[in-house]
Structure formats: C-alpha cells, structure tokens
Amino acid sequence: MLLFIEQVLNGLQLGVMLFLMASGLTLVFGIMGLINLAHGSLYMIGAYVAATVTAFTGSFLLGLLAAVPAAALVGAVIERGVMRHLYDRDHLDQVLATFGLILFFNELMVILWGRQPLFMAIPEALSGTVELLPGVPYPVYRLVIIAVGLLVALGLWGLIARTRLGMRIRAGASDRETADALGVNIALLYTGVFALGAALAALAGAMAGPLLAVEAGMGESILILTFVVVVIGGIGSVRGALAGALLVGLVDTLGRAFLPQVLRLVTDDATADGAGASLAAMAIYILMAAVLVWRPKGLFPAHG
C-alpha cells in the first residue's frame, strides 16, 4: 500500500508535467488550428536556459525566471516568422515545417551547448523529503511540481473563463473571422497564445531539468505523450488537458510499477518482467483507443 501511494504521487507529478506541455499545445491547436511538432523544442529550450542560468548564478529560481520569458520570446518569433504563413495551409505542410524546426533547434542546441548533457541539482531548499503518511516519505521537489502545475491550471482557468483576454481567446477559437470583424486583433492574439504555450512548455522543461538530463532532443519523447494527452482530453480544452494528463500520468506510472508484479502471479519472473514492461509501454495507447471509442472527440471537447 505504501508503494502504491508513492507511485500514485509519482503519477500525479508526471501528469502535472504533461499538463504544462499539453495546455499550451491544445490552445495552439484549438485556437489556431495549427499542428506544432516543435512544441517539444520549446520545452528543451526552457530546460537549457534554466540549466545555464542556474549554473552561472547558483539560483534555480533565477534560472526558472529566465527560462519562461526566453522561451516565450522564441515562441513569439517562431509564430511571426514561420507559423503565420502556415495557418491557411493544410496540416501536412504544418507537420513538415514544424518537423524542420525540431531539426533546427536540436542542431542549434548542439552548436551552443555541445553534445554532452547538462545536469541540474535539485535546489537545496527543496532537496529533502516530507512524510505525508507514516512510512511514506516523498521528495519535496516533486510535491512542488504538483503544486505549481495545479496553480497553473487554476490560473489558466481564470484567464480563459474570467478575463476579457480569455473572452477574446474563446471568440478567436470559435469564429476567427467574426472576431476579427468585431475588432479583435487576431494576429496579436495568435502571437500571444503561441508565446503563452511556449512559456508553459519552458516551465515544464525548467522544472524537469533537475530530474532528467538536459540534452538535445529531449523534447521528442515527452511530445508523443503530450499529443496522447491532447487527444484524450479533447482538442482545444484546457480542462480536458488536465484530465487527460492526470490519466496518462497515473496509467503510465502505475503500469510500469505494478504490471510486472501482477504477471508474476501467473508466469515466471523473466517472462513477467518482459511482458509487463511491454504492456506498460502500450497502456497509454490502449487508454487513448478506449477513450476515443467511447468519446470520439475526447473527454472534454472544446466545441460541442
């Protein structure tokens, strides 16, 4: 039971990281109709900037504060220089263009930082553990990630549902031509939404830095999970992104932790470990297929 509680918390932490990625991606796709494969590159940029500033200053907080606006600025430049020319093109053109951006940014990171991974230490103030229940110590840093993700979810809900800017975002997502005719600056709105998505991806990358190696190409693996989250939750829905991210995080973590043990009840250890690992890797895609059979537009589609 103690192991189960710990793995549930690990699943929530992974889910929160995925939500930070998926919320920006689902906004960009839901509002702009743009498939952005380069979203993982913005996650990578956030991690690299955070690692570099932290190494120079010794302050993880300064690294975090530098990574978010730096990625937002890069996102705004990408939107104005590349994405703006793709809105009226078909999705294949968008996929090819953004895949090219992945290759560009991966090589740029190698040129600027080299091929050796960078490593970030967990901030000293957050490096301990806290005993949530008797016999269940849990890292403070992972709890902070969960708390930050939930605060971001609350902030996004307030932004979209309770502010004038959120009203314009919803209007642009529903009918961009009418919104433009009513005086909404769609071009500026799109740049802002894309920059917001980039900032959220950078926040995820910066916070993942102390847990993972910061290296070129690190955004591709999490990008696949992020697309699964967006499809499960419903394209364009922040609420769906949160629900899908938590589901994927829990299913992936619990599957990897317990499926081999369950299979050992019916087969030998070697077979159970191999089959359990394979089934655990497939679990989130099985979940996605099941959700789409039940609700073809996702759990919480933005429209309808």
Side-chain angles (χ1 to χ4, degrees):
M1 179 56 67
L2 298 181
L3 176 62
F4 177 77
I5 294 172
E6 182 180 359
Q7 293 304 322
V8 166
L9 290 171
N10 286 339
L12 290 175
Q13 181 254 308
L14 174 59
V16 162
M17 296 294 293
L18 291 173
F19 168 71
L20 292 175
M21 287 285 291
S23 55
L25 189 62
T26 197
L27 282 176
V28 167
F29 189 78
I31 294 173
M32 304 177 186
L34 179 72
I35 298 177
N36 178 25
L37 296 186
H39 198 68
S41 298
L42 298 165
Y43 167 88
M44 175 181 65
I45 289 170
Y48 266 105
V49 173
T52 302
V53 174
T54 299
F56 272 107
T57 65
S59 170
F60 174 74
L61 180 60
L62 289 178
L64 192 65
L65 293 177
V68 172
L73 179 61
V74 171
V77 172
I78 290 173
E79 194 279 333
R80 285 183 172 272
V82 179
M83 303 303 183
R84 186 161 292 184
H85 306 287
L86 298 174
Y87 295 138
D88 296 326
R89 308 287 289 270
D90 61 31
H91 289 323
L92 179 59
D93 291 339
Q94 297 170 1
V95 167
L96 291 174
T98 53
F99 182 73
L101 287 175
I102 292 176
L103 301 179
F104 170 79
F105 281 114
N106 284 346
E107 290 304 313
L108 182 63
M109 297 302 108
V110 171
I111 292 171
L112 295 178
W113 280 279
R115 296 189 182 277
Q116 292 299 318
L118 304 181
F119 296 95
M120 296 172 63
I122 293 175
E124 187 175 348
L126 305 176
S127 60
T129 60
V130 60
E131 195 164 344
L132 300 176
L133 293 172
V136 188
Y138 198 73
V140 173
Y141 184 70
R142 290 180 180 267
L143 289 175
V144 169
I145 291 176
I146 294 173
V148 168
L150 295 178
L151 286 174
V152 168
L154 183 62
L156 279 177
W157 172 81
L159 172 68
I160 293 172
R162 301 295 182 186
T163 67
R164 194 171 184 82
L165 175 60
M167 179 177 66
R168 293 178 178 178
I169 291 174
R170 297 197 309 274
S174 299
D175 190 334
R176 73 182 71 176
E177 289 81 11
T178 302
D180 188 42
L182 291 173
V184 176
N185 188 334
I186 293 295
L188 183 60
L189 179 69
Y190 279 11
T191 301
V193 169
F194 198 92
L196 174 62
L200 292 172
L203 177 61
M207 299 202 72
L211 304 177
L212 306 170
V214 178
E215 57 188 346
M218 65 182 291
E220 277 78 0
S221 57
I222 196 170
L223 181 67
I224 296 171
L225 291 177
T226 304
F227 272 110
V228 172
V229 167
V230 170
V231 170
I232 289 175
I235 294 172
S237 170
V238 174
R239 178 178 57 164
L242 179 60
L246 294 179
L247 270 176
V248 169
L250 288 170
V251 168
D252 186 67
T253 302
L254 294 177
R256 294 180 189 279
F258 294 112
L259 272 178
Q261 297 183 32
V262 171
L263 292 179
R264 284 174 190 166
L265 299 175
V266 294
T267 186
D268 61 274
D269 290 356
T271 303
D273 289 343
S278 298
L279 287 173
M282 295 165 54
I284 58 171
Y285 304 106
I286 295 172
L287 171 66
M288 179 176 68
V291 168
L292 291 179
V293 168
W294 174 44
R295 294 180 68 88
K297 292 185 179 181
L299 293 175
F300 300 102
H303 307 295

